[in-house]
Amino acid sequence: MRALGGEQVEEAVAGCVATLRTVVDRDWEGVDAAGLEWSCRHTAFHVAEDLIAYAGQLAGRAQDGYVPFEITLEEGTDNAGLLHVIETTGALFAATLRTTPRDVRAFHPYPFRSADREGFAAMGIAEVLLHTHDIAKSLGITYEPSEELAESVLTWLFPHVQPGPAPWPTLLWATGRGELPGRAPVTEWRWRNNLVIPTERLVLTGLRPAAARDLRLGGDGGFEWIDGGPYQGTRDAAEFMMKAYEAGVHRPEFGVFALVRRQDGRSVGGMGFHSAPDEDGRVEIGYDLVESARGQGYATEALRALAHWALARDDVQALFATVERDNTASQAVVTRAGFKKVSEEEEFAYELRRP
């Protein structure tokens, strides 16, 4: 799976600068960017601010808030100089992405108060693409990024948005900047970084649609797996998740998680929900481990953490799992995690209810 990082940031910045360089002689201060209350010049500077801020979050390993610094333009900086600032902050951000380990997460407020390296890359690319569009539209020039960049933003930051006929119009619609046939206009929106749930030895890392698609097609989903991984059950779960995403019914927090081992950053299995909770607040959990990771308590540890997270929500009343009759190891996992057997038909059914 192709990682999202410095190369894509540089591509987005290059497209922005090439587009806006054609109108550096125009008045950017006296014209508001399309759909915004900022001038085109302020919007362009905002792009540079975001790029350097995201670099700062990752480089500084910020955990509780934004790193307290800002940049300013020297008095008298013209539009060409401002584009140079965008190029420079983009280069600094790209360099930061290339030198940041994959497991690093830093503070970002929405929705789970952190983002990883790829999440920050996607947010930076989104800022560049969308605000270049806002400026170009107001100044009456044509701008359209590559479909690959637009699709990357959608599959990394908009897992709750059903794919449309083409990525760029879908991204514009999802951010309230355009129309899409058959869909109501968007008036409020936010992107969504993936959920992670830490345990003593693992990090349950929520799969984005891009990762799920890669797993479905036989790839590694962007993870390094221990020998023999990923197991077929994880690939099957990724396929179910992609079907929900493509149908527009995927709720990212009730998706699939890779079980990443803290000690070496390698994935040992997958765990997740079969769907979002039903009208009674019931939701099914499934899981599997790579064979060489079994018998070490990883599944029990992960299941306890995921169950605790789910049952702390108002929309979840009960979790259930089905286990084959001859799978005594899995029966022991759900039992140790607090589930009670409630049925013994073709498969054993287990349930864990909110206290």
Side-chain angles (χ1 to χ4, degrees), residues 40-240:
C40 289
R41 182 176 172 84
H42 183 104
T43 303
F45 180 60
H46 173 73
V47 170
E49 287 182 309
D50 278 336
L51 292 172
I52 197 64
Y54 291 159
Q57 292 301 97
L58 285 175
R61 307 295 195 263
Q63 298 300 306
D64 301 316
Y66 289 110
V67 178
F69 77 100
E70 61 181 17
I71 61 170
T72 60
L73 294 177
E74 288 188 354
E75 187 175 350
T77 300
D78 60 10
N79 292 339
L82 177 51
L83 291 182
H84 192 191
V85 173
I86 292 175
E87 287 181 303
T88 303
T89 53
L92 291 170
F93 184 36
T96 302
L97 291 167
R98 291 190 173 102
T99 55
T100 299
R102 189 186 186 283
D103 62 343
V104 168
R105 294 187 75 88
F107 173 82
H108 188 273
Y110 191 80
F112 303 116
R113 298 186 64 77
S114 75
D116 60 8
R117 182 184 67 190
E118 284 76 16
F120 275 105
M123 290 188 290
I125 293 167
E127 295 284 358
V128 174
L129 302 190
L130 295 170
H131 288 317
T132 303
H133 162 271
D134 300 336
I135 297 168
K137 185 175 181 179
S138 282
L139 296 178
I141 57 175
T142 300
Y143 170 73
E144 184 169 339
S146 72
E147 292 291 90
E148 185 175 5
L149 280 180
E151 183 178 30
S152 293
V153 172
L154 286 169
T155 55
W156 254 266
L157 297 179
F158 292 86
H160 54 297
V161 172
Q162 183 180 17
W168 180 234
T170 303
L171 181 58
L172 292 178
W173 170 82
T175 57
R177 288 172 165 84
E179 297 181 353
L180 212 57
R183 302 195 192 182
V186 172
T187 56
E188 294 184 4
W189 62 274
R190 282 185 175 179
W191 50 50
R192 292 173 179 262
N193 280 292
N194 63 332
L195 172 65
V196 296
I197 301 173
T199 73
E200 181 180 356
R201 296 180 297 165
L202 303 169
V203 177
L204 281 66
T205 304
L207 296 187
R208 300 176 172 97
R213 179 187 296 130
D214 187 64
L215 284 167
R216 180 176 67 174
L217 296 176
D220 58 15
F223 297 91
E224 182 181 353
W225 296 81
I226 65 171
D227 295 340
Y231 199 64
Q232 186 59 41
T234 298
R235 296 195 187 281
D236 293 342
E239 181 172 4
F240 294 142

